[in-house]
């Protein structure tokens, strides 16, 4: 979802979803309370904030002045789950949503018009939630992409089956110029856009598992300098630690949204 309106034409190059179709283009958190969310992620990840042009319920998170993610305080109003969601660029939100339904996925919201584009919230056939965006990307999107402050991993039942689903919905590995490339490496699926790794898909999730951390889901990772400091801050500010290793920790924020912090390294 594009939380921000790009700079008017002529002042800065505007990137369209048509030119990077199939690639992740943003991550967004649906929350209940924008102020509490700002306080939590400011303490844990050091983010600053700026208003988004969609309204008072929306914010853009900044790391060192660059956009990182969007916050939408609409969970209660729209009766949506509190969760981090990746969004993928598409040529047509309507066509992509129709493909999801044709392949036994779910269209939860939309497609709806959010000028300057259209968005939809969807789920694949194993229940993992994701979004799509058609239209101009936010100002400084190339900075976000090049800095790679966030990356995503799909934990799913069968990585190869999931790759087929997303490939057909998002035009991965198609004959269209500029499409994302799909590679199978070490038992997982690796998605590349313009040569850069932008997502990974791995098998092993259990659809009926009572623990949501092992059900099929897209996991959003944020790169940080100090994983241990982030875990301490999360616990001090009402969050919890679901698992922790030497260079990575899975956290839950004050509102229940799950995310991962990963030590900064070359991917």
């Amino acid at each position: 979802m594009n939380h921000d309106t790009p700079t008017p034409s002529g002042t800065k190059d505007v990137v369209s979803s048509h030119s990077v179709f199939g690639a992740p283009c943003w991550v967004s958190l649906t929350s209940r309370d924008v102020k509490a969310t700002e306080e939590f992620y400011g303490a844990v990840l050091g983010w600053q904030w700026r208003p988004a042009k969609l309204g008072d319920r929306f914010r853009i998170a900044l790391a060192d002045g660059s956009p990182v993610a969007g916050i939408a305080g609409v969970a209660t109003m729209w009766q949506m789950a509190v969760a981090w969601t990746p969004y993928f660029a598409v040529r047509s939100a309507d066509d992509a949503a129709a493909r999801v339904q044709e392949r036994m996925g779910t269209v939860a919201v939309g497609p709806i018009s959010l000028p300057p584009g259209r968005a939809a919230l969807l789920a694949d056939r194993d229940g993992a939630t994701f979004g799509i965006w058609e239209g101009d990307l936010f100002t400084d999107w190339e900075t976000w992409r090049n800095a790679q402050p966030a990356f995503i991993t799909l934990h799913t039942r069968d990585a190869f089956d999931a790759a087929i689903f997303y490939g057909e919905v998002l035009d991965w590995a198609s004959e269209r110029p500029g499409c994302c490339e799909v590679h199978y490496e070490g038992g997982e699926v690796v998605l590349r856009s313009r040569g850069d790794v932008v997502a990974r898909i791995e098998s092993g999730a259990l659809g009926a598992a009572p623990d949501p951390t092992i059900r099929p889901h897209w996991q959003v990772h944020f790169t940080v300098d100090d994983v241990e400091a982030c875990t301490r801050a999360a616990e001090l500010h009402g969050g919890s630690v679901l698992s922790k290793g030497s260079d990575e920790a899975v956290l839950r924020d004050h509102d229940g949204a799950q995310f991962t912090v990963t030590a900064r390294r070359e991917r």
Side-chain angles (χ1 to χ4, degrees):
M1 180 184 295
N2 185 346
H3 290 69
D4 218 359
T5 302
T7 303
S9 179
T11 62
K12 189 171 227 143
D13 290 338
V14 174
V15 178
S16 166
S17 64
H18 291 73
S19 63
V20 292
F21 67 93
C25 62
W26 193 230
V27 292
S28 178
L29 172 64
T30 306
S31 75
R32 294 188 180 93
D33 185 324
V34 170
K35 181 174 174 52
T37 299
E38 287 181 339
E39 292 175 354
F40 178 87
Y41 286 95
V44 175
L45 297 176
W47 289 348
Q48 301 84 43
W49 306 92
R50 78 176 186 214
K53 296 176 183 177
L54 286 179
D56 292 340
R57 294 180 181 269
F58 299 84
R59 296 288 189 276
I60 303 294
L62 305 173
D64 298 323
S66 296
V68 181
I71 306 296
V74 297
T76 302
M77 181 175 65
W78 291 356
Q79 297 185 333
M80 296 172 65
V82 173
W84 279 103
T85 302
Y87 280 76
F88 294 85
V90 296
R91 293 175 181 268
S92 168
D94 294 285
D95 289 349
R99 292 175 191 169
V100 166
Q101 290 182 308
E102 290 167 0
R103 289 157 180 80
M104 300 179 65
T106 302
V107 176
V109 178
I112 58 176
S113 294
L114 293 170
R118 288 173 63 73
L121 187 64
L122 314 165
D124 65 24
R125 50 190 170 218
D126 284 324
T129 301
F130 67 102
I132 53 174
W133 173 258
E134 171 199 353
D136 292 340
L137 306 181
F138 64 90
T139 305
D140 295 334
W141 181 82
E142 286 286 6
T143 301
W144 177 82
R145 176 189 177 94
N146 293 335
Q148 294 186 310
F151 64 100
I152 58 174
T153 302
L154 175 62
H155 302 277
T156 190
R157 177 185 54 81
D158 184 323
F160 303 111
D161 182 70
I164 292 171
F165 172 88
Y166 285 95
E168 292 175 341
V169 169
L170 300 173
D171 283 323
W172 293 351
S174 65
E175 296 180 355
R176 293 184 173 182
C179 70
C180 291
E181 301 172 358
V182 176
H183 300 268
Y184 301 95
E185 302 174 5
E188 68 177 8
V189 176
V190 177
L191 183 70
R192 285 186 169 86
S193 175
R194 300 179 180 176
D196 295 326
V197 175
V198 293
R200 296 180 183 272
I201 303 176
E202 58 183 36
S203 301
L206 302 175
D211 183 352
T213 64
I214 58 176
R215 287 187 218 134
H217 67 283
W218 280 99
Q219 186 77 359
V220 177
H221 301 243
F222 296 104
T223 54
V224 299
D225 293 322
D226 190 335
V227 171
E228 181 62 33
C230 290
T231 61
R232 290 196 304 268
E235 292 179 314
L236 284 172
H237 290 83
S240 58
V241 180
L242 301 181
S243 65
K244 184 171 68 171
S246 60
D247 62 354
E248 187 169 276
V250 181
L251 308 178
R252 186 171 282 149
D253 72 15
H254 64 293
D255 219 7
Q258 180 180 309
F259 64 103
T260 297
V261 291
T262 302
R264 206 174 300 277
R265 63 181 184 269
E266 189 173 336
R267 296 193 296 280

